[in-house]
Amino acid sequence: MDAQPERADPVQSTAASSRDNHIQSSPWIPIPDKRIICVEHPGIIRNVEKGIATLGGEEALAKLAAANGNMALHLRFRPDDPMQPPIESRTVPTNNLLLKITIPRRKKRRGTKDGEMTLPEKLRAAKGNYKVEAIGRIEKTVRFRDMASFQWNSSNSDFINKMKDKLMDGDYEKIRSFELSKDRGDPNSEILPPPTFSNTVIPHTYFYRQNPAVKRALIDGKTSLLNFQAAPKTLTPMVHVTIAEIPTKPADVPEYAQLDSLHKECVDHLRALFEQRPIWTRRALYNNFPKHLQTMVRFTMAHVAYMWRAGPWRDTCVKYGVDPRSDPKYRFYQSVFFQIETHKSRPSYQSGSNIDNSHIFDGKRLIRDGRCFQLCDVTDPLMQQLINTPNLRKTCDVSHRPPIPVLCDGSLTQSK
């Protein structure tokens, strides 16, 4: 039999190739067969004893080790306050190593402390003069991921301090001496808020990112962010019921001569309508506008009228210079809102966008998407009896609004 050639030892071959390439391999470090449970504390530990106390003391850590990590620790940043809601831990499996790094002491420079340097900085400063030793494997890690914020601190509460002094020790005589305050209407009575205010335990991962519609643009030599999907501004002035002087002319709008022909036609039509009637709802204006100009009403309104944000003329467009609070004759242009309780599936309830006179309330036909009506557009006989009342105020009271009528399946009732 022919002799077979000897096979090269892979270890010797690797070592030989390493010598040939002049590459020094890293030394092998033995790992002791010791299983370790790691506890990741969310705080900065400067005192180990205080850090252990926040976890429940050495007794809690001993129970954790006896259960092989299969139990929860309860973290309290104020361990002396039993009223603080604890933060519960979660144990996860890991495959990490615990290393012991020994760095020889070195002379300190004036004004510097070892605690101010991080571990990588200390290793670089040692210039290789340190020792690394493997202690064991970390197979389980105890982590705290619940939110610790939004808690009510009751340490300054006299009632809570009295309760802790009398009840927490379990002394029978102290418990018997505990009494609640018998005073009624005491502003310092203990009505404690809930200990935690968040509905969720783990914070949300929001994944904040820039709106994809926002792009960078160069405007007047400066880089600006523009949202190309943002709705264009209407520039219509919105006033509150407490305003002293109403707007008398448009502001911050292009001049009439600078408008194109289509916008000029829309402004001219608006001016003609406001000559007929000084106050309109937007729905009434749309119904009196040509179809090809309806979409431009909201952008050209600022040239002719302003709007009320609240009060008796809420959501109405008023001609510049007209103050409806100045004369009782403008009361007929007040806006009322009807609460309509209907079944959308019924065919008699139509959409106002398909009706030319949807701003008229006759008491017979219900408009599903129309709630705001002006008193001058209400033709229902029952409602007109309430509108044409002789009992009028001499001055406008913007804080008073009449009861809101409620419509239920075509029947009219008066809400209180």
Side-chain angles (χ1 to χ4, degrees):
M1 180 183 297
D2 295 336
Q4 297 291 334
E6 295 182 357
R7 296 182 179 179
D9 189 353
V11 177
Q12 296 178 359
S13 299
T14 303
S17 62
S18 300
R19 287 193 298 269
D20 295 339
N21 297 331
H22 303 285
I23 298 177
Q24 184 179 1
S25 60
S26 300
W28 288 87
I29 300 177
I31 301 175
D33 189 14
K34 183 183 294 185
R35 294 176 175 85
I36 301 172
I37 301 174
C38 176
V39 179
E40 294 183 358
H41 199 290
I44 299 176
I45 304 299
R46 299 188 184 278
N47 188 308
V48 178
E49 294 182 357
K50 291 183 179 180
I52 294 176
T54 60
L55 299 175
E58 295 183 359
E59 182 181 357
L61 296 181
K63 291 181 179 180
L64 178 70
N68 195 21
N70 297 323
M71 63 166 288
L73 291 177
H74 293 86
L75 171 65
R76 288 183 172 89
F77 288 106
R78 301 188 302 275
D80 298 333
D81 184 7
M83 305 302 294
Q84 181 196 5
I87 305 170
E88 190 171 336
S89 68
R90 289 175 173 83
T91 303
V92 296
T94 54
N95 188 20
N96 299 329
L97 295 178
L98 177 62
L99 300 179
K100 178 182 178 182
I101 302 176
T102 305
I103 303 176
R105 294 182 177 273
R106 62 186 184 88
K107 294 182 179 180
K108 299 180 182 179
R109 296 180 180 179
R110 292 184 179 180
T112 61
K113 298 180 180 179
D114 289 342
E116 298 177 355
M117 298 178 62
T118 62
L119 179 60
E121 292 175 347
K122 292 180 179 180
L123 293 177
R124 286 193 293 267
K127 297 180 180 179
N129 187 19
Y130 57 85
K131 181 181 179 181
V132 179
E133 179 183 359
I135 304 298
R137 292 183 298 168
I138 302 176
E139 296 183 347
K140 294 183 179 180
T141 301
V142 179
R143 295 173 177 172
F144 297 91
R145 292 294 184 265
D146 295 0
M147 291 189 297
S149 302
F150 309 110
Q151 294 185 358
W152 178 259
N153 186 358
S154 58
S155 59
N156 296 326
S157 172
D158 296 335
F159 173 77
I160 296 298
N161 291 329
K162 179 182 177 181
M163 187 178 66
K164 289 190 294 186
D165 181 54
K166 301 292 185 181
L167 303 181
M168 296 300 180
D169 294 340
D171 190 339
Y172 178 72
E173 295 298 332
K174 290 184 178 181
I175 295 175
R176 289 189 60 186
S177 63
F178 178 77
E179 293 182 356
L180 297 175
S181 177
K182 299 180 181 179
D183 298 335
R184 295 185 178 181
D186 185 6
N188 298 322
S189 60
E190 296 296 337
I191 304 177
L192 296 178
T196 57
F197 296 93
S198 177
N199 295 328
T200 59
V201 179
I202 299 178
H204 296 285
T205 304
Y206 290 99
F207 290 109
Y208 289 108
R209 61 183 180 87
Q210 180 62 273
N211 185 356
V214 176
K215 306 294 182 182
R216 293 182 179 272
L218 191 64
I219 301 177
D220 297 333
K222 297 181 179 179
T223 303
S224 303
L225 296 177
L226 297 179
N227 188 351
F228 290 91
Q229 292 184 356
K233 296 182 179 180
T234 58
L235 302 177
T236 303
M238 301 286 292
V239 299
H240 195 263
V241 293
T242 58
I243 191 171
E245 298 181 358
I246 51 93
T248 57
K249 60 181 180 179
D252 300 331
V253 295
E255 296 291 338
Y256 178 80
Q258 299 177 357
L259 302 177
D260 55 28
S261 59
L262 200 60
H263 283 79
K264 288 182 179 179
E265 182 182 358
C266 189
V267 172
D268 294 338
H269 201 84
L270 280 173
R271 289 175 177 175
L273 289 176
F274 277 94
E275 289 297 329
Q276 302 174 15
R277 175 168 149 182
I279 303 175
W280 292 80
T281 60
R282 285 173 291 186
R283 182 184 293 272
L285 286 173
Y286 291 154
N287 292 339
N288 287 273
F289 244 78
K291 295 293 183 181
H292 68 285
L293 295 177
Q294 287 182 349
T295 57
M296 303 179 60
V297 173
R298 57 193 298 262
F299 302 108
T300 55
M301 184 66 66
H303 292 267
V304 183
Y306 67 95
M307 295 187 65
W308 287 91
R309 191 183 303 274
W313 295 272
R314 171 187 167 189
D315 289 350
T316 58
C317 306
V318 185
K319 182 181 178 181
Y320 285 122
V322 175
D323 189 352
R325 302 169 299 181
S326 61
D327 198 314
K329 67 180 182 180
Y330 295 115
R331 68 184 182 89
F332 290 103
Y333 302 108
Q334 294 183 79
S335 61
V336 291
F337 290 80
F338 293 94
Q339 180 180 349
I340 302 176
E341 300 175 357
T342 65
H343 300 285
K344 295 183 179 181
S345 59
R346 293 182 59 173
S348 59
Y349 304 145
Q350 305 175 9
S351 176
S353 59
N354 301 325
I355 306 174
D356 293 337
N357 58 347
S358 60
H359 63 286
I360 302 296
F361 182 80
D362 55 6
K364 300 178 182 179
R365 179 181 54 189
L366 294 179
I367 306 301
R368 186 170 62 237
D369 55 350
R371 297 190 309 116
C372 178
F373 297 90
Q374 287 181 273
L375 297 183
C376 60
D377 293 330
V378 176
T379 60
D380 178 69
L382 179 60
M383 295 295 299
Q384 284 190 341
Q385 294 179 7
L386 301 176
I387 297 172
N388 298 323
T389 175
N391 300 324
L392 299 177
R393 294 187 181 91
K394 294 182 179 179
T395 58
C396 176
D397 185 3
V398 295
S399 61
H400 177 77
R401 292 186 64 86
I404 301 176
V406 179
L407 295 175
C408 301
D409 292 334
S411 59
L412 181 64
T413 59
Q414 193 76 13
S415 66
K416 296 181 180 180

